[in-house]
């Protein structure tokens, strides 16, 4: 049991993982929401380091792990993936779609979503690969519809074909 200030917790995590997205304001927000137990010592907030690691692992879907999660923003995860796992071909849009649909465990603070890089290792990476297949199928369906629409326009007109882009309101 290591009791530390939030600044010291962040510094310790950054020592082990220099690229981490864990910061003091993130921990403060998690404390405010009751996820991390803490107490005031004078004007400083202190907490147990092990409780922070346990909370982050639980929120990021890594309950069986006692290691410090490698937390990244979506953009940071994509940057790191291009370096460490270029073979899986997961892009930012796929990750954002998975996060938006709730297929991936994340910590949402404000408009940012934080995720764990261990989710890109087996067996967790299957979520993204399944999503990639549906995205490819969706693109194929869209292009088929576009070809049908152009074909219908060509059949209707007797003159020079002209395609006008129509935007639909959502």
């Amino acid at each position: 049991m290591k009791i530390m200030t939030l600044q010291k917790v962040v510094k310790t995590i950054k020592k082990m993982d220099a690229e981490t997205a864990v910061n003091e304001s993130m921990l403060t927000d998690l404390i405010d929401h009751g996820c991390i137990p803490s107490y005031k010592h004078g004007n400083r907030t202190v907490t147990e380091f092990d409780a922070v690691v346990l909370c982050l692992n639980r929120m990021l879907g890594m309950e069986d792990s006692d290691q410090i999660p490698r937390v990244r923003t979506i953009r940071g995860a994509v940057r790191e993936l291009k370096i460490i796992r270029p073979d899986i071909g997961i892009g930012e849009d796929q990750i954002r779609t998975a996060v938006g649909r709730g297929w991936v465990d994340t910590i949402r603070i404000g408009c940012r979503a934080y995720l764990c890089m261990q989710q890109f290792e087996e067996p967790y990476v299957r979520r993204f690969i399944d999503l990639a297949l549906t995205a490819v199928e969706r693109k194929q369906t869209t292009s088929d519809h576009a070809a049908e629409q152009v074909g219908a326009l060509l059949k209707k007109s007797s003159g020079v074909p002209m395609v006008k882009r129509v935007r639909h309101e959502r």
Side-chain angles (χ1 to χ4, degrees), residues 70-90:
R70 296 185 344 252
V71 179
R72 304 288 186 271
T73 60
I74 294 174
R75 215 169 260 154
V78 170
R79 256 193 323 265
E80 190 170 325
L81 273 177
K82 286 181 182 178
I83 296 168
I84 63 171
R85 297 280 314 262
D87 57 315
I88 59 175
I90 296 174

Side-chain angles (χ1 to χ4, degrees), residues 67-126:
Q67 296 178 351
I68 296 173
R70 296 185 344 252
V71 179
R72 304 288 186 271
T73 60
I74 294 174
R75 215 169 260 154
V78 170
R79 256 193 323 265
E80 190 170 325
L81 273 177
K82 286 181 182 178
I83 296 168
I84 63 171
R85 297 280 314 262
D87 57 315
I88 59 175
I90 296 174
E92 188 172 339
D93 291 338
Q94 289 171 317
I95 294 173
R96 289 189 186 282
T97 302
V99 167
R101 291 184 180 174
W103 293 354
V104 179
D105 294 318
T106 59
I107 298 173
R108 274 221 173 271
I109 297 179
C111 63
R112 284 218 170 131
Y114 298 93
L115 51 97
C116 183
M117 289 304 292
Q118 284 92 333
Q119 293 179 350
F120 297 102
E121 297 168 0
E122 291 294 336
Y124 306 109
V125 77
R126 287 276 159 221

Side-chain angles (χ1 to χ4, degrees), residues 131-142:
L131 178 64
L133 293 176
T134 59
V136 169
E137 292 168 356
R138 187 174 53 239
K139 284 182 182 177
Q140 182 62 41
T141 304
T142 304

Side-chain angles (χ1 to χ4, degrees), residues 22-85:
V22 175
N23 56 42
E24 193 176 337
S25 64
M26 170 198 244
L27 297 179
T28 302
D29 198 48
L30 292 175
I31 287 170
D32 291 344
H33 284 90
C35 300
I36 299 174
S38 69
Y39 59 94
K40 288 289 207 180
H41 184 71
N43 63 348
R44 294 183 179 205
T45 304
V46 294
T47 186
E48 290 181 40
F49 182 76
D50 297 333
V52 172
V53 171
L54 182 69
C55 174
L56 291 174
N57 280 328
R58 183 175 34 86
M59 293 181 80
L60 294 169
M62 310 305 272
E63 291 91 3
D64 55 342
S65 176
D66 60 343
Q67 296 178 351
I68 296 173
R70 296 185 344 252
V71 179
R72 304 288 186 271
T73 60
I74 294 174
R75 215 169 260 154
V78 170
R79 256 193 323 265
E80 190 170 325
L81 273 177
K82 286 181 182 178
I83 296 168
I84 63 171
R85 297 280 314 262

